[in-house]
Amino acid sequence: MKKIIIAIDGFSSCGKSTMAKDLAQEIGYIYIDTGAMYRAVTLYCLRNGWIGTDGTVNEDELRRHLDDIHITFRLNPDTQRPMTCLNGEVVEDAIRGLEVASHVSAVAAIGFVREMLVRQQQEMGREKGIVMDGRDIGTAVFPDAELKVFVTASASIRAQRRYDELQAKGQEASFEDILRNVEERDRIDQTRAVSPLRQADDALLLDNSHLTIAEQKAWLKEQYNKVVQC
Ligand code: DC
């Protein structure tokens, strides 16, 4: 069976990673959550005090220390799911909280951060056999990916999903705060100067507002089968 690159882009909290992860596991591909990489850089900035109370990022300090940031993924032996590591430390929970979520769009809008992470992502896909999800995978990271999907869902449905996720983990959050955060991130992601979020011309559109996870997964598997069988 030929190996391909599967690029999954779309808005935040629309279930991209769940379906991408499951497909990768089922077909034996590597799965890379590129949002986790931007989140890990954001966590590094927060820990070093490089994000001011007004949300501005100290770009000079970040640029100076860029080589000190090493992001890797390690499989969780129990769940077989990848865990994000920042300089060897598992930060999977820390990068999913509201503090990182509130600042990640600003960090992801910095050109030199994107250049570094895009380079790493392209290296990860050199041998193909990879499912990568993010915002610019089909447009900037792998413009020649054999299968591109652009996922969307309404902002309130996405906020509800993120709220349920945090509740399940026992993390405090208000639905209104999350909704505001989702809408604000949409705005920043779509309007930033470098690689704004947009659907690639040759990407398939999936609006999953009213689809179950099982339905989305089946749809994605079908698209994958179509590409590898032809
Ligand atoms: O998918 P996510 O919510 O974990 O992404 C976190 C942030 O990173 C989001 O604001 C968009 C940004 N991002 C990006 O700009 N490019 C990517 N390839 C992935 C994420």
Side-chain angles (χ1 to χ4, degrees):
M1 189 88 73
K2 71 172 173 183
K3 278 192 171 179
I4 63 167
I5 291 181
I6 304 174
I8 304 197
D9 289 305
F11 290 94
S12 64
S13 309
C14 61
K16 294 187 301 290
S17 49
T18 308
M19 92 182 174
K21 240 180 264 181
D22 286 352
L23 178 72
Q25 205 166 18
E26 196 180 332
I27 64 179
Y29 274 28
I30 292 168
Y31 164 70
I32 301 292
D33 171 359
T34 62
M37 299 172 80
Y38 290 95
R39 285 169 182 265
V41 174
T42 307
L43 181 66
Y44 193 82
C45 291
L46 283 165
R47 283 180 172 176
N48 283 285
W50 296 336
I51 301 184
T53 42
D54 61 350
T56 37
V57 182
N58 186 333
E59 293 192 25
D60 291 340
E61 283 298 326
L62 177 55
R63 192 198 294 270
R64 230 191 322 273
H65 292 87
L66 214 51
D67 290 344
D68 301 338
I69 307 176
H70 300 284
I71 302 162
T72 49
F73 294 95
R74 193 187 303 164
L75 270 195
N76 180 324
D78 300 328
T79 61
Q80 288 303 303
R81 298 293 204 185
M83 300 181 297
T84 313
C85 301
L86 173 60
N87 294 336
E89 175 197 347
V90 176
V91 291
E92 197 50 43
D93 285 338
I95 61 169
R96 306 291 166 192
L98 207 52
E99 201 189 5
V100 167
S102 309
H103 298 290
V104 64
S105 285
V107 172
I110 301 173
F112 63 82
V113 171
R114 301 202 72 82
E115 274 167 32
M116 171 183 84
L117 295 184
V118 167
R119 246 194 330 270
Q120 291 179 9
Q121 291 153 10
Q122 288 170 333
E123 186 58 30
M124 291 168 177
R126 218 158 34 93
E127 315 248 309
K128 301 207 173 192
I130 195 165
V131 184
M132 193 172 274
D133 83 42
R135 302 293 189 286
D136 59 343
I137 313 304
T139 52
V141 182
F142 295 119
D144 297 327
E146 289 85 349
L147 175 59
K148 297 182 187 177
V149 176
F150 190 86
V151 193
T152 185
S154 78
S156 59
I157 286 180
R158 288 183 283 132
Q160 187 66 48
R161 289 175 184 161
R162 184 56 63 101
Y163 176 79
D164 294 344
E165 225 172 76
L166 291 175
Q167 286 272 301
K169 285 186 196 156
Q171 293 184 22
E172 276 300 309
S174 91
F175 173 79
E176 284 70 27
D177 285 350
I178 295 174
L179 179 60
R180 257 196 306 277
N181 177 257
V182 165
E183 288 172 341
E184 179 62 3
R185 279 201 290 157
D186 285 359
R187 191 188 62 73
I188 300 177
D189 290 347
Q190 288 175 290
T191 56
R192 69 172 172 233
V194 199
S195 302
L197 171 66
R198 67 169 182 87
Q199 183 180 348
D201 295 337
D202 52 351
L204 305 170
L205 179 68
L206 173 68
D207 182 338
N208 68 13
S209 298
H210 304 291
L211 292 185
T212 63
I213 291 176
E215 285 167 338
Q216 287 181 62
K217 278 168 55 177
W219 179 88
L220 184 60
K221 181 74 190 300
E222 200 184 313
Q223 307 312 315
Y224 162 76
N225 284 336
K226 277 189 204 160
V227 173
V228 291
Q229 280 161 11
C230 69

